[in-house]
Amino acid sequence: MMIRSITHHALEALCVQASEAIVAVDAQGCIILFNPAAEAALGLRAAEVVGRLLSDHAALQALAVLLSEADSSQGAIRVRLPLASGGQVPVQVIALLDGTPAAGEDLVENLVHDLKVPAASAKNFIDVVQEAGELNAQQLDFANRARLKMLTMVDAINEVIDTFWMNASGRLYPQQTDLVPIIRKIGREAGDFARLRGVTIELALPEEGCTVLVDSTRVRNAISNLVNNAIKYSLNGGTVRIALTQEPGSITCQVTDQGIGIAAEELERIFERGYRVSSKATERVEGTGAGLAIVKTIVEKHGGEVFVSSTPGEGSVFGFALPTG
Ligand code: ADP
C-alpha cells in the first residue's frame, strides 16, 4: 500500500489494520491508498492501482461513478461495489480533497475505535487471568508486562489519532463540558498504569464542577497525555497530583509529579514535535516525542497557554491555562 503525503501517514497506518475495504482518492480521482482488505476483496494489488485513476480499472469504474454522484463535501462514502463475478463488496471510498481530509478524521475515529476495542479487551482478559487463580511470580510478572503493553498500545492509538488531527484540519468542536468528571475518569483509567509503576494518583478538583466551552475530546486527550507522562517519568514511584482550578476568566489544569524531572536547558525544547530528552533515565522509557506537541497544539487552539517547571531528581509540574471568555 502506498500513499503520497506524510500528512496521511496516520490514516495509512490505521487503514492497514482495517477489516473493511478502503480506497482513498485525491481530488483528481487518482488512487492514493488501497488497503489490504481492498486488495483481498477486489482481487487487485495496491501496486497495480495506486497512482492510477479509479476510472482506469474496469473493476473500479463503478466506484468512480458512485463517487462523482456523491456529495463531495461528505468526503467519505460507503458503497456496495458490484463484482464482475457477481455479488457485491462493501467499500469505503475517501476523497482526500486539497490535502485537508476532514472526512478522514471521522474515518480515523472509526478505525481507531476498531483498534482500541481489541486492545482494551485483551487487557481485560489479562485481568481475568489474574483473578481466575493464583499465579506464580513469573506468571504474574508476564501478565503485568502484557497489561502494561496493552495500556501503552491504547495510548499510542490515541496519539496517532491526535497526530492525524493536527496534520489534517486541527478543527475544534467546542461544547459546554464539565471537566471534573472527565478528569476523574482519566484518574481512574490511569490507575492501572500508575499501580504498575508504584505511583499514587491524587485529585484536587472543584467540588462544584467546572463547566467550560471546550472541545472535550481534545482537552481530555491533552490532560491524559500530561498524566501519562507524569506516571511514565516517575521511575521511583511517588505521587501524581492532578489539580483543576477556576479563576475569573480562566481555568488552570496542573499535573505535578515527583519523577525524574527535566534539566533547565531541555525545557525549551520538549514541546517540539519529536523531541525527546536523551539521558540514562529516559532511555528506559518508551515514547515518540509527540505527546507534548499535541498538548501544546490543543491548548493553543483553545487560545490557552502551556507551562512547565521542573527540578531534575525532584519532579515536574506541567499544565495549561485556558481562557473561559
Ligand atoms: P515522549 O514522552 O513520547 O517522549 P513527549 O512529547 O510527551 O514525548 O515528551 C517530550 C519529552 O519531555 C520526553 O521525552 C521527556 O524527556 C520529557 N518529559 C515529558 N513529561 C515529563 C515528565 N512529567 N517528567 C520528566 N520528563 C518529562
Side-chain angles (χ1 to χ4, degrees):
M1 188 168 66
M2 278 165 52
I3 191 161
R4 272 195 220 139
S5 155
I6 191 80
T7 308
H8 305 135
H9 206 72
L11 177 61
E12 180 184 347
L14 291 165
C15 286
V16 173
Q17 314 282 339
S19 51
E20 184 181 14
I22 299 173
V23 179
V25 295
D26 67 12
Q28 283 70 46
C30 192
I31 300 165
I32 53 176
L33 184 152
F34 201 80
N35 78 340
E39 289 183 318
L42 301 170
L44 290 167
R45 295 201 20 250
E48 299 168 50
V49 294
V50 169
R52 309 263 182 83
L53 291 172
L54 273 180
S55 51
D56 283 352
H57 288 271
L60 300 177
Q61 269 165 9
L63 274 187
V65 175
L66 289 164
L67 192 63
S68 66
E69 287 168 354
D71 171 6
S72 63
S73 65
Q74 213 177 313
I77 53 165
R78 282 200 161 82
V79 296
R80 299 192 72 80
L81 182 68
L83 295 175
S85 56
Q88 295 180 330
V89 178
V91 179
Q92 175 144 211
V93 192
I94 315 163
L96 298 173
L97 308 173
D98 66 28
T100 54
E105 270 179 56
D106 296 340
L107 179 79
V108 169
E109 299 272 1
N110 293 337
L111 294 175
V112 160
H113 191 71
D114 289 352
L115 291 179
K116 253 194 209 171
V117 171
S121 67
K123 182 199 143 285
N124 290 340
F125 277 122
I126 300 167
D127 291 345
V128 175
V129 166
Q130 288 179 318
E131 283 161 18
E134 198 143 316
L135 303 181
N136 68 32
Q138 196 179 31
Q139 289 165 332
L140 194 64
D141 177 45
F142 287 151
N144 277 337
R145 281 201 235 174
R147 221 153 177 271
L148 202 56
K149 290 284 172 205
M150 295 326 287
L151 291 168
T152 311
M153 192 155 129
V154 173
D155 287 339
I157 293 169
N158 281 333
E159 219 165 82
V160 169
I161 196 170
D162 281 330
T163 305
F164 183 79
W165 167 80
M166 281 202 304
N167 289 342
S169 73
R171 267 197 313 254
L172 295 178
Y173 296 96
Q175 48 197 287
Q176 292 294 340
T177 308
D178 185 354
L179 291 179
V180 169
I182 290 182
I183 295 178
R184 283 195 201 290
K185 188 156 182 241
I186 291 173
R188 271 198 310 277
E189 285 172 353
D192 262 341
F193 183 30
R195 257 190 306 282
L196 291 171
R197 300 270 178 163
V199 168
T200 308
I201 296 186
E202 218 175 79
L203 303 179
L205 307 172
E207 269 175 27
E208 67 283 11
C210 178
T211 300
V212 281
L213 185 67
V214 291
D215 184 322
S216 57
T217 307
R218 302 295 162 203
V219 170
R220 182 201 61 210
N221 291 357
I223 301 171
S224 166
N225 248 308
L226 295 181
V227 172
N228 281 333
N229 273 354
I231 300 169
K232 210 162 77 159
Y233 294 102
S234 289
L235 299 182
N236 297 316
T239 299
V240 166
R241 186 169 190 272
I242 318 170
L244 183 69
T245 47
Q246 186 155 27
E247 306 90 40
S250 70
I251 57 138
T252 303
C253 178
Q254 194 162 299
V255 179
T256 309
D257 66 60
Q258 299 171 325
I260 58 172
I262 304 162
E265 63 274 16
E266 300 279 4
L267 285 178
E268 277 171 30
R269 300 210 54 196
I270 53 172
F271 287 94
E272 286 172 22
R273 211 152 146 181
Y275 188 80
R276 304 200 70 213
V277 175
S278 144
S279 71
K280 265 256 151 308
T282 54
E283 80 191 11
R284 291 194 278 145
V285 184
E286 284 178 29
T288 58
L292 289 179
I294 291 169
V295 173
K296 188 166 187 275
T297 305
I298 293 172
V299 168
E300 290 181 352
K301 277 191 180 282
H302 281 87
E305 274 180 24
V306 289
F307 57 82
V308 57
S309 65
S310 187
T311 309
E314 288 185 18
S316 311
V317 182
F318 277 87
F320 59 83
L322 297 183
T324 51

